[in-house]
């Protein structure tokens, strides 16, 4: 604002009329220059306004967004973990309750057996041994079946790898001049066509 307009009001000499209303009066420019030179030109921000302008955020901070996302993700995992623990505790509690009921029933039955016969101790030990042996045999059978399945898969995989390797060698064969041998390629195409027809 080098030249600012001053509106002069009418003075007492001309009867207070506003004849010089549109006339502009010059402003003292030397004062403005001195103020600018001294650094107090009035155009700068105050310290408080500067601090507020620097700390103002537009809501987009990638680091903060990433941190919040990680926090919510971890919270979700913690909640899932707590839920699974709660379910396990409930399952164990219900299984323990059923076990305690079964134990009571077994104790009653054992008590009744002891009343009827005195030599039931050997039979119960014998039955426990039988149960153990049966369980062990079943586990052994399951293990043998699993091993047989794994062996069959392994053999099948080795056979297919051998076939692929032989096929690859045939496909890579070339003549002396570097041209591919078409015989094996045509055979392969023929086999695939016949396989798709079957």
């Amino acid at each position: 604002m080098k030249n600012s307009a001053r509106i002069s009001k009418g003075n007492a000499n001309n009867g207070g009329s506003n004849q010089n209303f549109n006339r502009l009066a010059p402003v003292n420019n030397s004062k403005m220059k001195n103020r600018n030179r001294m650094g107090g030109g009035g155009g700068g921000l105050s310290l408080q306004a500067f601090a507020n302008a620097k700390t103002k955020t537009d809501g987009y901070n990638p680091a903060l967004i990433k941190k919040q996302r990680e926090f919510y993700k971890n919270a979700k995992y913690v909640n899932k973990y707590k839920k699974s623990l709660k379910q396990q505790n409930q399952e164990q509690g219900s299984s323990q309750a059923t076990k305690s009921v079964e134990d009571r029933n077994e104790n009653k039955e054992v008590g009744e057996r002891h009343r009827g016969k005195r030599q039931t101790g050997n039979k119960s030990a014998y039955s426990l041994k039988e149960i153990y042996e049966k369980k062990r045999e079943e586990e052994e059978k399951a293990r043998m079946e699993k091993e047989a399945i794994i062996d069959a898969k392994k053999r099948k995989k080795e056979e297919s790898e051998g076939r692929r390797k032989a096929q690859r060698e045939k496909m890579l064969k070339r003549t002396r001049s570097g041209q591919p041998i078409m015989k094996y390629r045509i055979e392969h195409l023929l086999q695939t066509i016949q396989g798709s027809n079957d």
Side-chain angles (χ1 to χ4, degrees), residues 134-148:
K134 284 181 182 178
K135 189 175 181 182
R136 204 168 131 204
E137 286 176 9
E138 288 174 2
E139 288 175 355
E140 188 70 24
K141 282 182 184 178
R143 189 179 62 82
M144 294 292 278
E145 288 174 3
K146 197 173 184 181
E147 284 180 5

Side-chain angles (χ1 to χ4, degrees), residues 19 45 87 127 170:
Q19 293 172 353
L45 293 173
Q87 286 178 350
S127 64
K170 285 180 182 177

Side-chain angles (χ1 to χ4, degrees), residues 11 27 30 41-42 44 82 85 92 107 118 134 141 171:
N11 53 18
V27 176
S30 62
K82 285 181 180 178
L85 279 179
Q92 287 178 355
N107 288 340
R118 296 277 179 186
K134 284 181 182 178
K141 282 182 184 178
M171 293 296 237

Side-chain angles (χ1 to χ4, degrees), residues 44-52:
L45 293 173
S46 69
L47 183 60
Q48 186 65 33
F50 178 75
N52 287 341

Side-chain angles (χ1 to χ4, degrees), residues 146-162:
K146 197 173 184 181
E147 284 180 5
I149 291 169
I150 291 170
D151 287 340
K153 282 183 180 178
K154 196 182 281 185
R155 271 189 250 113
K156 191 175 180 181
K157 188 177 179 182
E158 287 173 357
E159 287 173 7
S160 63
E161 282 180 4

Side-chain angles (χ1 to χ4, degrees), residues 38-156:
M38 296 297 286
L45 293 173
S46 69
L47 183 60
Q48 186 65 33
F50 178 75
N52 287 341
K54 289 295 277 184
T55 57
K56 186 190 280 186
T57 59
D58 59 350
Y60 179 73
N61 185 351
L64 186 65
I65 291 170
K66 185 178 179 186
K67 220 179 224 183
Q68 286 175 343
R69 191 181 302 138
E70 245 179 81
F71 175 77
Y72 289 125
K73 193 174 171 184
N74 289 340
K76 190 168 76 171
Y77 289 142
V78 168
N79 286 338
K80 281 185 179 179
Y81 176 72
K82 285 181 180 178
K83 280 183 184 178
S84 66
L85 279 179
K86 198 172 185 182
Q87 286 178 350
Q88 286 178 355
N89 288 339
Q90 287 177 351
E91 289 172 3
Q92 287 178 355
S94 64
S95 64
Q96 286 176 355
T98 55
K99 283 182 183 177
S100 63
V101 170
E102 289 174 359
D103 288 342
R104 288 181 198 153
N105 290 339
E106 286 179 10
N107 288 340
K108 286 180 185 177
E109 290 173 5
V110 169
E112 290 173 2
R113 284 183 203 154
H114 281 295
R115 287 184 203 135
K117 293 183 181 177
R118 296 277 179 186
Q119 298 175 352
T120 54
N122 292 339
K123 287 183 180 178
S124 63
Y126 181 71
S127 64
L128 286 174
K129 192 175 182 181
E130 282 181 357
I131 292 170
Y132 171 74
E133 287 177 0
K134 284 181 182 178
K135 189 175 181 182
R136 204 168 131 204
E137 286 176 9
E138 288 174 2
E139 288 175 355
E140 188 70 24
K141 282 182 184 178
R143 189 179 62 82
M144 294 292 278
E145 288 174 3
K146 197 173 184 181
E147 284 180 5
I149 291 169
I150 291 170
D151 287 340
K153 282 183 180 178
K154 196 182 281 185
R155 271 189 250 113
K156 191 175 180 181

Side-chain angles (χ1 to χ4, degrees), residues 167-184:
Q167 187 73 25
R168 186 171 179 269
E169 287 175 3
K170 285 180 182 177
M171 293 296 237
L172 291 175
K173 281 189 177 180
R174 304 215 169 235
T175 61
R176 286 184 204 156
S177 59
Q179 297 296 320
I181 299 175
M182 296 305 290
K183 172 183 166 185
Y184 301 113

